[in-house]
Every structure is written in structure tokens, then in C-alpha cells.
Amino acid sequence: MLKMSASLQIPRFIPLLSAIRLHNVECVRYKSRGLIPRRKKPIQKWFDPKDNSWAEPILEHQKQKEAQPEQEPSVLHMVYRIKDHYTRPFWEKDVLKEFGLFEKAYNAVALKNTPEINEKLRIIQHLIRIKPVTFPYGLPKDEDDFKHCYLRENGEFVVRQRIHDQSDEVEQAWAEVRMVEEESEEENIWKMDRDTIVKECDRVLQTFKLSEEYFREKYIYKYNQDGKEHRYTGEDNIASQRQDWY
């Protein structure tokens, strides 16, 4: 009986002996299989509470953000719509119509940076995109400078100012520029625009004259070119009431 009991208990001690000999091995007790050795998983860096290497990028970004000076609030906002408004409620559509953002998407509109306008923009913040308007080249000094101002996609208001020089060469150059601007503003009847080209193309298609220059008529017949007009009327004066077709 002692020998049999000992032989039955030996298999239970084998996992324990193997667990003692092997490294990185732990014994796990299962309800059905008993005590079984299982290899330990390597300890990850993020699992060690003393290791803070995973937080270094976050801390560095926070330091860079704190080192940057605070930007002054812009006077104007450049606002444009980036999403559809078909399924939105009526109060959001009313705000879009008020600011001129209802008709076309990506149509930039300049708005003042005031608490009243910002409160309305907060209602439609999920439909629009706001960028601060900056003036890297200063503000326009004269009304004539408004022609040469434009707003970029990143919110920069660019002003092309004139050169303050009273030399004869500069005055002559500006005179030529004024002449070109005045000529461009005047309507030129000989200038080809898109509407004129589209109308001409439609006329060619409707009159079946497409590629007419490549398929010219080889023979052009004229009335009575053979000198035998009697063939057309006949001796009995048939078709005497006929009118000339040319």
C-alpha cells in the first residue's frame, strides 16, 4: 500500500521539480489539470511603476507649450463651412444664413472677434472651421491699396504696398501699370470669354458644322451652268411657275 501511494504521488511532484530547475517559470493551479508550470512573460516597461520613460514625450510637449508666449487674440476670424447642413435643425441654419455661410461650402467670410459673434459660432462649431486673421505685412494705408489686398487660405491678410520713390523711372512704371489696369477694367468686345466660346461650340454642333474645315465641298454647282435651261422647263412649259432657288 505504501509503494502504491508513493507511486501515485510522484507525478504530482514532477511539475514542482521542473519549476524549480527552469528560470522564468511559474506554477499555475488549474481545477481540472492540477499544478502546471507556465513560463513567465517578460515585464514590460509600462508595467513597472518606477519606469516613467513612456511619459517623456508628453512632458516634453508640455514644456514646449509652456515655453511659447501666449498669442494675442486676433481682431477678425476667417470662417468657412466644411460640412453639409441638410439634416441640421433650423436654428443652426439661421446662424449660417446670418453669416453668409449657407449657400456655398468653403466660402471664406471675415467676422469680428466679439463675444456675441463667438457665442453664435459656438452653435455651429461642428459645421465650420475658424482661423485667426493675421496681418504679416501690415494694414492697408490708403483706399487704393484695397485693390492689391487678398486673404490667403491660412488666414494671412496680404497687402501689396506701393514703393515710395519719386524718381522719374518709378513714376513712369506706375503710369504704365495704371494704363494696363484701366484697359483691363474696360469691357473689350473682342475679348473671348467662356460664355462666348460655349455659345460658338453649341452653334457649330446645332448646324452640323463640326470639322467642316477638314471636309470641304469639292464641287459647287450653279444654276444653268451648263447652258441648257430648257431641260428645267421643258417644251410644254412645265414648271413655269418655278421660282429661282438662288
Side-chain angles (χ1 to χ4, degrees):
M1 293 294 291
L2 293 174
K3 291 181 180 180
M4 291 179 63
S5 62
S7 63
L8 293 173
Q9 293 178 0
I10 287 173
R12 297 182 180 180
F13 290 103
I14 291 175
L16 295 174
L17 295 173
S18 61
I20 293 170
R21 292 176 184 176
L22 298 175
H23 299 284
N24 298 329
V25 174
E26 61 179 353
C27 294
V28 181
R29 183 179 294 279
Y30 292 94
K31 190 174 182 180
S32 59
R33 293 183 291 174
L35 193 64
I36 296 176
R38 188 177 67 177
R39 188 174 296 276
K40 294 181 180 180
K41 294 182 180 179
I43 299 174
Q44 303 293 336
K45 291 183 178 180
W46 53 267
F47 188 78
D48 189 4
K50 297 181 181 179
D51 188 8
N52 296 327
S53 60
W54 58 272
E56 290 180 359
I58 301 174
L59 298 174
E60 186 177 357
H61 175 71
Q62 189 69 20
K63 290 179 181 179
Q64 292 178 359
K65 190 174 181 180
E66 292 176 357
Q68 293 179 355
E70 294 183 0
Q71 296 181 356
E72 296 182 359
S74 61
V75 181
L76 299 174
H77 289 320
M78 186 182 72
V79 186
Y80 54 91
R81 182 167 58 83
I82 59 174
K83 292 184 180 180
D84 294 332
H85 53 71
Y86 299 116
T87 59
R88 306 311 306 168
F90 67 91
W91 55 84
E92 295 181 4
K93 294 181 180 180
D94 292 342
V95 177
L96 292 173
K97 291 177 182 178
E98 181 181 354
F99 294 145
L101 302 170
F102 186 82
E103 296 296 334
K104 294 183 179 180
Y106 298 97
N107 186 21
V109 177
L111 300 175
K112 293 182 180 180
N113 186 6
T114 58
E116 294 81 6
I117 293 178
N118 292 339
E119 186 63 25
K120 294 180 180 179
L121 292 176
R122 186 184 62 80
I123 300 173
I124 57 173
Q125 62 182 349
H126 54 285
L127 302 175
I128 61 174
R129 183 163 294 172
I130 303 173
K131 291 185 179 181
V133 178
T134 58
F135 303 91
Y137 302 102
L139 296 171
K141 298 180 180 179
D142 194 0
E143 293 182 357
D144 296 336
D145 295 337
F146 294 157
K147 299 180 181 179
H148 311 286
C149 300
Y150 60 94
L151 188 64
R152 290 180 177 175
E153 295 179 355
N154 56 358
E156 292 183 354
F157 188 79
V158 180
V159 181
R160 294 180 180 177
Q161 298 179 356
R162 297 185 176 184
I163 302 173
H164 298 285
D165 192 354
Q166 303 299 329
S167 61
D168 296 337
E169 296 179 356
V170 175
E171 291 182 359
Q172 184 178 359
W174 279 115
E176 294 177 358
V177 171
R178 292 192 197 95
M179 291 177 59
V180 173
E181 290 179 353
E182 291 175 358
E183 290 178 359
S184 61
E185 290 178 357
E186 295 179 357
E187 294 183 358
N188 190 358
I189 60 175
W190 303 107
K191 185 177 180 181
M192 293 291 291
D193 54 356
R194 186 175 182 278
D195 296 337
T196 306
I197 295 172
V198 170
K199 289 180 181 178
E200 179 64 20
C201 294
D202 292 340
R203 187 189 67 81
V204 171
L205 289 175
Q206 292 174 2
T207 55
F208 303 99
K209 292 184 178 181
L210 187 64
S211 302
E212 184 182 12
E213 62 273 12
Y214 302 107
F215 302 96
R216 297 179 181 177
E217 297 178 358
K218 295 182 180 180
Y219 303 101
I220 301 175
Y221 296 98
K222 296 182 181 179
Y223 179 74
N224 196 23
Q225 67 179 3
D226 55 354
K228 298 180 179 180
E229 190 176 358
H230 64 277
R231 293 185 177 182
Y232 305 130
T233 58
E235 296 178 355
D236 299 330
N237 201 15
I238 300 173
S240 61
Q241 303 297 328
R242 179 186 56 81
Q243 296 180 359
D244 295 334
W245 55 271
Y246 59 91

